[in-house]
């Protein structure tokens, strides 16, 4: 297969899911006639019809909860949010119902639903459309959260999500739909909960995910020019976290940079930093370095927004300050 | 001969309604005692007074139909056939409870009977019911979903969103609003633009509306049956307001200082259990002795449920970490 982008990989995943499993249906705002805000579902309505590709009213709580109910009733719904920021209107559904039913029913009820949502800043949509709340949902027992940064991971994780008997949220960074990459021709999946060592190295571990992976690779390139060998880990899943991969790497390199585009306060990297110091404290040559977005609402202005989102230079400066490299 | 056969089956059915309502009342009142004695903790919301609604409506359902309800849910669970032992053990938080002690009073479930909760965020369960209705139609099971909601739900966004979605998608879903006149301690008229007039709450969405005396189990059954038949036939969702009253406080933590004793006494005159019992006696369909026997049998059932709950083990420590994921 020639290189394809993340949008195409996701569309392929939806198409094959609809084709292979009659219980799969997709619902969300403008996913049918319009083709999806980011065109992931374009063309599916024509091919599979309105029973299976369902445009919904702009009622996040209702259609997300209906997706949960459909899953409980034996279907395999994929519910697309137009933007993860709109999921705030349905947090009650996702948390109090979707993520809690199995536990509260003593294991009687399964909720095999897949939520998908564009997320992230960088395209000047200001505070209501740019935040990344996946770390909030990754804090909820009962939820699984995946965040692919390559087309192969997008397809492989979507396949795994559809096979999963529990609720899975897939977040898709708005800047990455055009990201190209190699996707194997033969069938494959990417297991939920498995990080990927994107680049091996010996002097510094960089842990990141999603669009911050682009920055992470840039950091690794720039450090390589200074003869610093960075190992770059793409988390790919935010819950459950693949901490063994992270800890093994940190024990090898003795230095770590945690890089995310979430607000630094409350970001997922705070949790990872805590687990590193719990499990690899004696292996560290210095403090855990954590770089995230500035703690401000996303601004509209391009220059301001770019200053808010972490850059490679900012991350390198933080690494140099901590480790003298 | 045939007429007599019909009579006998009709009588059996009516006595079954009586028996179910009495079971729920006894279950609730004894639960209240167990709460006072500290065997049941958390919040306990009793259904006493509202029995005719759950019993009347659920009696018209088939096994393939779904039931979803609010947190005042013991009555619905029992009417749907949950074993009182498992319900009581759940209230006690025991390992033998319907949710192994992980859900409690507000979160009863029995998937094997298509009873999907027991939900404690007001109106939060309505979309779930819409999704179950969607699944039933998508899979062509011929089933419908019946969702019970309280009067407070009408002021939540999820009520309006779900009504609209159910109408747009023509779902086989019946909304049954139990208007007990108070959302916790707030009289419905103080919190609703139309002064607590819920009779036409489905109308803005083109949903057929009906109102019924929620103290009269036969009336509830008739209205529910019509709504369920209509929605099962593919005519879209239906809405029913049942007017009722809870004889007890919002929960057992409620001192009930926002309504008068007189109001409660007026409603207690319409007690759904004695209403049906009296009617059966008047029509010579039963005797005082037969009703007494039913009540005594149900007293035993509840006594046995309490004994079962008391004697059941606490969940083991490892249960803390099970049932989070498959």
């Amino acid at each position: 297969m020639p290189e394809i982008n993340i949008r195409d990989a996701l569309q392929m995943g939806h198409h094959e899911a609809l084709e292979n499993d009659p219980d799969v249906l997709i619902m969300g705002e403008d996913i049918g006639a319009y083709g999806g805000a980011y065109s992931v579902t374009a063309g599916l309505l024509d091919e599979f019809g309105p029973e299976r590709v369902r445009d919904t009213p702009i009622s996040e709580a209702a259609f997300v909860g209906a997706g949960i109910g459909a899953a409980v009733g034996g279907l395999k719904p994929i519910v697309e949010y137009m933007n993860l920021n709109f999921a705030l209107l349905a947090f009650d559904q996702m948390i109090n119902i979707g993520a809690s039913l199995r536990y509260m029913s003593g294991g009687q009820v399964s909720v095999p639903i897949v939520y998908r949502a564009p997320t992230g800043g960088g395209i000047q949509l200001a505070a209501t459309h740019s935040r990344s709340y996946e770390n909030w949902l990754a804090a909820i027992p009962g939820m699984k959260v995946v965040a692919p940064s390559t087309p192969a991971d997008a397809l492989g994780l979507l396949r795994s999500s559809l096979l999963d008997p529990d609720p899975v949220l897939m977040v898709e960074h708005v800047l990455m739909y055009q990201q190209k990459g190699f996707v194997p021709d033969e069938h494959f999946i990417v297991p939920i909960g498995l990080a990927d060592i994107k680049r091996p190295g010996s002097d510094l571990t960089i842990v990141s995910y999603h669009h911050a992976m682009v920055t992470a690779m840039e950091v690794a390139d720039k450090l390589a020019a200074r003869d610093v060998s960075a190992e770059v880990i793409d988390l790919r899943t935010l819950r459950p976290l693949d901490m063994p991969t992270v800890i093994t790497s940190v024990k090898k390199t003795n230095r770590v940079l945690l890089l995310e585009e979430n607000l630094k306060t409350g970001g997922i990297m705070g949790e990872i930093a805590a687990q590193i110091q719990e499990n690899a404290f004696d292996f560290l040559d210095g403090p855990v370095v954590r770089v995230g977005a500035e703690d401000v609402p996303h601004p509209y202005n391009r220059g301001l927004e770019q200053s808010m989102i972490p850059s490679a230079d900012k991350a390198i400066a933080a690494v140099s300050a901590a480790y003298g490299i | 001969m045939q007429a007599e056969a019909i009579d006998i089956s009709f009588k059996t059915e009516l006595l079954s309604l009586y028996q179910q309502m009495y079971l729920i009342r006894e279950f609730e009142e004894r639960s209240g005692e167990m709460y006072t004695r500290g065997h049941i903790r958390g919040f306990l919301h009793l259904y006493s007074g509202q029995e005719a609604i759950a019993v009347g409506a659920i009696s018209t359902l088939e096994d393939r139909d779904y039931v979803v309800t609010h947190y005042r849910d013991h009555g619905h669970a029992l009417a749907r056939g949950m074993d009182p032992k498992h319900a009581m053990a759940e209230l006690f938080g025991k390992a033998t409870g319907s949710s192994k002690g992980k859900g409690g009073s507000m979160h009863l479930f029995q998937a094997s009977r298509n009873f999907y909760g027991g939900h404690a965020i007001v109106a939060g369960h309505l979309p779930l019911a819409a999704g179950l209705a969607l699944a039933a139609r998508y899979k062509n099971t011929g089933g419908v979903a019946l969702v019970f909601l309280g009067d407070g739900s009408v002021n939540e966004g999820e009520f309006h969103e779900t009504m609209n979605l159910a109408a747009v998608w023509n779902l086989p879903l019946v909304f049954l609003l139990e208007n007990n006149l108070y959302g916790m301690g707030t009289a419905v008229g103080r919190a609703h633009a139309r002064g607590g007039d819920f009779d036409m709450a489905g109308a803005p969405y083109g949903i057929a509306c009906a109102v019924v005396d929620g103290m009269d189990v036969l009336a509830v059954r008739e209205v529910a049956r019509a709504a369920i038949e209509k929605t099962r036939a593919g005519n879209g969702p239906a809405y029913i307001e049942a007017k009722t009253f809870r004889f007890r406080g919002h929960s057992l933590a409620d001192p009930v200082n926002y309504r008068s004793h007189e109001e409660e006494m007026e409603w207690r005159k319409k007690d759904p259990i004695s209403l049906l019992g009296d009617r059966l006696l008047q029509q010579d369909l039963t005797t005082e002795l037969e009703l007494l026997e039913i009540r005594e049998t149900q007293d035993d059932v509840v006594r046995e449920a309490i004994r079962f709950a008391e004697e059941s083990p606490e969940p083991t420590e490892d249960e803390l970490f099970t049932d989070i994921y498959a």
Side-chain angles (χ1 to χ4, degrees):
Chain A
M1 194 184 299
E3 288 205 335
I4 60 169
N5 64 32
I6 287 182
R7 188 203 75 87
D8 294 336
L10 288 170
Q11 193 182 36
M12 190 185 298
H14 284 72
H15 190 275
E16 72 176 24
L18 285 164
E19 211 166 46
N20 296 341
D21 184 350
D23 289 338
V24 168
L25 69 168
I26 309 176
M27 51 175 98
E29 292 156 357
D30 276 319
I31 62 153
Y34 186 97
Y38 293 91
S39 302
V40 170
T41 53
L44 296 177
L45 172 65
D46 287 343
E47 191 169 349
F48 295 100
E51 274 295 304
R52 303 190 66 197
V53 180
R54 309 180 75 91
D55 279 320
T56 67
I58 303 174
S59 307
E60 283 79 5
F63 73 73
V64 169
I68 292 167
V72 171
L75 303 184
K76 187 81 218 187
I78 303 174
V79 173
E80 177 181 304
Y81 284 111
M82 192 176 278
N83 183 302
L84 186 61
N85 290 248
F86 309 162
L88 294 175
L89 292 153
F91 262 37
D92 173 45
Q93 295 298 319
M94 295 177 88
I95 297 173
N96 280 321
I97 299 190
S100 306
L101 277 187
R102 184 183 297 282
Y103 201 76
M104 286 202 308
S105 68
Q108 294 181 70
V109 182
S110 283
V111 187
I113 189 172
V114 178
Y115 313 105
R116 291 179 32 251
T119 182
I123 55 172
Q124 291 189 260
L125 295 176
T128 61
H129 282 55
S130 306
R131 292 188 195 176
S132 305
Y133 291 108
E134 62 269 11
N135 52 309
W136 288 14
L137 289 157
I140 304 300
M143 284 292 303
K144 295 181 182 180
V145 180
V146 299
S149 72
T150 69
D153 286 351
L155 181 57
L157 284 167
L158 181 61
R159 285 172 174 161
S160 289
S161 303
L162 283 161
L163 292 172
D164 203 279
D166 289 301
V168 182
L169 167 68
M170 172 178 281
V171 285
E172 301 154 10
H173 199 288
V174 290
L175 286 172
M176 300 195 90
Y177 283 113
Q178 303 304 322
Q179 187 88 8
K180 285 197 165 179
F182 169 75
V183 175
D185 279 320
E186 65 278 14
H187 187 82
F188 69 100
I189 62 156
V190 174
I192 294 171
L194 192 65
D196 185 26
I197 299 173
K198 275 281 180 322
R199 172 174 176 149
S202 53
D203 301 326
L204 170 74
T205 299
I206 304 176
V207 181
S208 191
Y209 75 96
H210 240 199
H211 187 253
M213 277 300 298
V214 175
T215 313
M217 295 306 272
E218 188 186 338
V219 169
D221 284 342
K222 288 184 171 173
L223 288 176
R226 298 190 202 173
D227 278 340
V228 175
S229 158
E231 179 151 292
V232 182
I233 297 174
D234 183 351
L235 287 172
R236 300 196 294 191
T237 297
L238 304 186
R239 188 186 188 100
L241 281 169
D242 181 4
M243 286 312 293
T245 295
V246 172
I247 297 294
T248 302
S249 178
V250 170
K251 285 182 175 175
K252 179 176 74 176
T253 64
N254 313 114
R255 302 181 187 94
V256 62
L257 162 65
L258 307 179
L259 180 62
E260 67 182 323
E261 288 189 4
N262 281 329
L263 303 181
K264 195 170 169 184
T265 300
I268 193 88
M269 294 305 173
E271 173 61 27
I272 292 173
Q275 292 200 37
I276 290 171
Q277 68 86 18
E278 283 165 2
N279 296 296
F281 186 78
D282 290 339
F283 292 84
L284 290 169
D285 281 355
V288 171
V289 179
R290 189 161 59 102
V291 176
E294 300 294 342
D295 275 326
V296 299
H298 279 71
Y300 163 68
N301 175 273
R302 174 152 181 85
L304 289 178
E305 188 180 31
Q306 290 305 310
S307 305
M308 181 218 180
I309 297 168
S311 65
D313 290 344
K314 196 187 249 179
I316 290 169
V319 168
S320 299
Y323 300 121
I325 56 175
Chain B
M1 189 66 197
Q2 202 184 0
E4 195 180 324
I6 289 166
D7 273 348
I8 287 167
S9 107
F10 186 51
K11 179 189 160 177
T12 310
E13 229 178 298
L14 295 177
L15 287 178
S16 163
L17 298 177
Y18 182 89
Q19 170 251 310
Q20 290 180 59
M21 288 197 294
Y22 184 82
L23 166 66
I24 293 169
R25 177 68 57 83
E26 182 66 10
F27 184 96
E28 295 299 64
E29 296 304 314
R30 297 290 86 76
S31 298
E33 287 175 23
M34 294 300 115
Y35 188 88
T36 312
R37 289 191 209 166
H39 293 300
I40 298 171
R41 308 303 287 260
F43 288 140
L44 185 69
H45 308 89
L46 300 182
Y47 197 60
S48 300
Q50 300 181 214
E51 295 90 345
I53 302 171
V55 169
I58 291 174
S59 73
T60 67
L61 294 181
E62 301 174 11
D63 290 347
R64 61 184 170 172
D65 298 331
Y66 295 109
V67 179
V68 183
T69 187
H70 44 74
Y71 50 82
R72 198 178 301 285
D73 60 348
H74 314 160
H76 310 90
L78 295 173
R80 191 54 170 162
M82 183 180 285
D83 187 327
K85 293 203 292 288
H86 299 147
M88 188 63 81
E90 187 59 30
L91 270 50
F92 275 58
K94 295 297 185 71
T96 54
S98 45
S99 295
K100 303 191 219 167
K102 296 180 184 182
S105 159
M106 300 189 285
H107 310 112
L108 300 178
F109 289 84
Q110 189 167 3
S112 63
R113 291 186 186 271
N114 279 336
F115 178 69
Y116 285 107
H119 297 271
I121 306 294
V122 173
H125 60 303
L126 302 182
L128 176 78
L132 288 165
L134 172 63
R137 203 190 59 192
Y138 188 95
K139 285 176 167 280
N140 260 323
T141 65
V144 306
L146 170 63
V147 62
F148 295 87
L149 52 148
D151 45 77
S153 299
V154 179
N155 301 325
E156 287 278 11
E158 281 150 329
F159 173 84
H160 299 278
E161 289 192 18
T162 308
M163 283 242 156
N164 183 59
L165 187 75
V168 169
W169 284 358
N170 199 44
L171 297 177
L173 175 62
V174 175
F175 298 86
L176 206 174
L177 182 129
E178 304 190 54
N179 179 7
N180 65 20
L181 302 180
Y182 294 88
M184 199 159 151
T186 302
V188 290
R190 295 174 54 216
H192 183 246
R194 292 187 62 230
D197 248 346
F198 303 126
D199 53 346
M200 296 298 284
Y205 308 98
I207 296 176
C209 301
V211 185
V212 67
D213 175 1
M215 310 306 272
D216 181 347
V217 68
L218 298 180
V220 171
R221 197 165 71 137
E222 195 172 316
V223 170
R225 179 174 284 147
I228 285 160
E229 274 174 15
K230 168 193 173 297
T231 200
R232 200 189 298 284
N235 297 312
Y239 164 84
I240 303 166
E241 180 201 3
K243 293 184 185 295
T244 185
F245 198 78
R246 58 171 151 74
F247 291 168
R248 308 289 298 262
H250 167 71
S251 74
L252 284 211
D254 175 6
V256 203
N257 52 17
Y258 47 83
R259 68 183 199 198
S260 70
H261 185 62
E262 290 70 34
E263 186 183 19
E264 182 190 322
M265 286 302 114
E266 276 308 303
W267 278 93
R268 278 189 183 270
K269 285 182 198 162
K270 302 178 219 170
D271 188 312
I273 301 172
S274 27
L275 191 72
L276 178 65
D278 291 349
R279 196 182 291 172
L280 294 179
L281 289 170
Q282 280 159 20
Q283 295 178 10
D284 285 333
L285 285 167
T286 187
T287 62
E288 287 283 9
L289 184 64
E290 192 171 33
L291 294 181
L292 181 66
E293 279 170 0
I294 289 174
R295 293 198 298 271
E296 285 179 347
T297 309
Q298 297 312 307
D299 290 345
D300 287 343
V301 167
V302 173
R303 210 171 290 128
E304 176 57 25
I306 289 170
R307 196 189 58 77
F308 176 82
E310 277 174 340
E311 291 175 358
S312 286
E314 298 283 339
T316 52
E317 190 80 14
D318 59 311
E319 277 295 331
L320 184 60
F321 300 103
T322 63
D323 302 323
I324 300 168
Y325 299 101

